[in-house]
Amino acid sequence: MADKEATIYIVDVGSSMGQKRNGRHQTDLEWAMTYVCDKITSTVATGRKTATLGVVGFRTDGTSNELEEEDSFEHISVIQEISQILLPDLSRLRTTIVLSNTDEGDAISAIIIAVSMIVKYCKKLKYHRKIVLITNGLSFIDAEDVTQITSKIKQDNMELVVLGVDFDDLEYGFKEEDKDPTKVRNEAVLKSLVDECDGIFGTLAQAIDELGIPRLKATRPVHSYRGFLNLGDPEQYDSAMAIDVERYPRTKTRPPPSASQFVQRSDRHNVHESTQSSATILQESDGLEANPSGDPNGLTGVRNSRVYQVVDEEAPSGTRDVELDDLAKGYEYGRTAVYISESDLNVTKLETKAVLEILGFIPWSNYERYMSMSVCNVIIAQKANSKAVMALSSIIHALFELDSFAIARLVSKDKKSPELLLLAPSIEIDYECLLDVQIPFAEDVRSYRFPPLDRVITVSGKVLKDHRNLPSEKLHSALSDYVDRMDLSKFGKDDDGNPTEYMAMTDTFSPVLHRIDQAVRWRAVHPTEPIPPPYEILTRFSQAPEDLLIKAKRRLEKLITIAEVKKVPPKAKGRKRNRDTVKPLSGLDVDELLGREKRVKISPENAIPDFKRMLDKAENPSVIQDAAQQLTVIIQIRIKDSFGYNTDGQVIAELSVLREEMTEMEEPKIYNDFMVQLKSRLLAEELGGDRRELWWKIRHNGLGLIEKTTSPQSKITEDEAKKASLIFFETVYLLLMCMQFLSAK
């Protein structure tokens, strides 16, 4: 269980916080609220009732605190009492914390109010108490009674954090020039107060920069086993050893947060509606009145239901619902379902008791790393049991001195399936323990054989060390040099400029986990604004360092030359004319043997297949041009001889095939020239009269000129293609207007 927390944020809302300084596009208050909202959002995301916080504003227009009758506590308002904060409360805080019209109000008095609130709320209970003050230091600060405040903060173990807007911080590397004398004095007063309280004093810029550093969640481990570690059977042998131990996780995979399914509430104002969110149900179960307006989006959780049905011919729908208790379990045996009753099923379960027993020992050298099947756990002696500590320590040192591992059988709970564990000794300065990972049973191991990588074995069994599929010594050497140049182990720099590890594990964070967390926190505070890009700390290791790439460039070029690495050109679209004709294995021409005549003419009744077949056998551009010429003649004949619109579909299909094939054959000019000719003939009504409707269909199907973007061989730009289409329709429109004018006369 996590510790209880009580945090109070003191925010300066004076009129001087409304200015934009040092080239920022935000006011001081907006900049400060970036930090406050991010911190509060992180607390809200935990969902813990014990993570409470409050908000106090000073230099406010009004006064609202428990000491408001005293003059020194004027213009200080308690905006949020200490309590658990939910998302609606955060939205309310963002609208409540606004710029005031005054600069009256004392920061030290605001700290006194915060101390009083924490003492009143926490009483003598165990809490992590924290006060965070954010100000620009441009108002008068009363430094009297600072000693009493310091003693009270230290007495109640409170943590005081002061973050100043443009406060000097030499360690961070910031110093404001031409600073106001009042601000200089206030910085000194606040820094002295923080130093006396052993707190944290810094500039707000550093705090906001550190918001991008992922927050590591501290969790208390929960034991997965608590019992005896047996060496031998204590029930049968007096010489057997049983040690009281506890098992905890050493490492654990953290999954990314999962999204839940919600649906829009059908009646947001009906408290007794059956579709309720989990928050509403929880409130009602605690005896509180449900508040359907608590969810600003009007969403409710989705509840799943499962129905079991069997085939029943006598039922009206052909199926009948059955209860879960009426179902029986069965196992597939071949193509048959074998039914096993509940009583018989218990026979298949092992009657096990919780125990951890050592089965044997193996040398370190006999264990392969790929045998590990789980995350690591740690086994320690029972707390406050000195006899168990000494006994376990003897086993740990024996394993370490003999360079051995122990193989153990674990049953973490009664009637649970056993597991095999590998126990390894771990001896540190301040503690000793056994580390364990799960290893497979014999049935879990699948062995596969692959050909070796350093030699080639022929069919006759001869071993070849020199082969075209094996790397040469030069290639080995070049690759080794390149790997050495790309070494990251000493590429980084520490604070003193000395070489160190570039990509330390402590500085490497999961982009998936923390990017989702960043997006959720941003959307919670800014419902409509676009989500910002990921923090730099999450993406800085996504690519190799530029300096390292430059350093290894010559080695890489040498490696490319020796390995004869060549760039594979992208698969070009439309090389059909250069492809090899598929021939039978016999090498005989079946058409020639059967006396078939090779088609050189395209039939109007089978135009598209004949056209494609002729192109498949094309060996030079003249054949392609001849095939296209035949198809274009057929298209024009269809248009001219059509009755109404009966051949428009065939014309569209043939034009589409012509356009596609000419694009693939890299002959866009043939198609474009034909379309220009077709346009002029349609305009002149040379193809059976008025065919405007057909052209509309051609344009609707996207069968215009082939542009450069479609085929690099084309000389027609996108603008020229659009212009050609528009000119045609403008001409048609003018002709129609002229015809209407003449008919009116």
Side-chain angles (χ1 to χ4, degrees), residues 495-506:
D495 296 336
D496 298 329
N498 300 320
T500 185
E501 184 181 2
Y502 171 74
M503 192 175 172
M505 291 298 296
T506 55

Side-chain angles (χ1 to χ4, degrees), residues 572-625:
K573 188 177 182 181
R575 295 288 179 183
K576 291 177 65 175
R577 81 165 85 142
N578 297 327
R579 71 180 183 182
D580 296 333
T581 306
V582 179
K583 297 180 180 179
L585 295 176
S586 62
L588 301 177
D589 191 338
V590 179
D591 288 338
E592 184 177 352
L593 290 175
L594 297 177
R596 295 177 182 172
E597 181 184 355
K598 293 185 178 181
R599 291 184 178 272
V600 293
K601 298 294 183 182
I602 298 178
S603 167
E605 292 78 14
N606 199 30
I608 293 178
D610 287 351
F611 176 67
K612 289 185 174 181
R613 192 177 298 112
M614 190 172 179
L615 291 180
D616 287 340
K617 296 183 178 182
E619 297 179 355
N620 52 68
S622 61
V623 178
I624 299 173
Q625 192 164 2

Side-chain angles (χ1 to χ4, degrees), residues 362-368 399-405 423-425:
I362 62 171
W364 291 359
S365 58
N366 289 5
Y367 181 73
E368 301 292 345
L399 291 173
F400 183 80
E401 292 173 4
L402 297 176
D403 295 341
S404 299
F405 293 143
L423 307 183

Side-chain angles (χ1 to χ4, degrees), residues 44 78 184 189 215 247 290 300 418 431 474 573 579 616 653:
V44 172
V78 178
V184 174
V189 171
R215 299 162 177 81
R247 182 174 183 252
T300 183
Y431 72 93
K474 284 187 176 181
K573 188 177 182 181
R579 71 180 183 182
D616 287 340

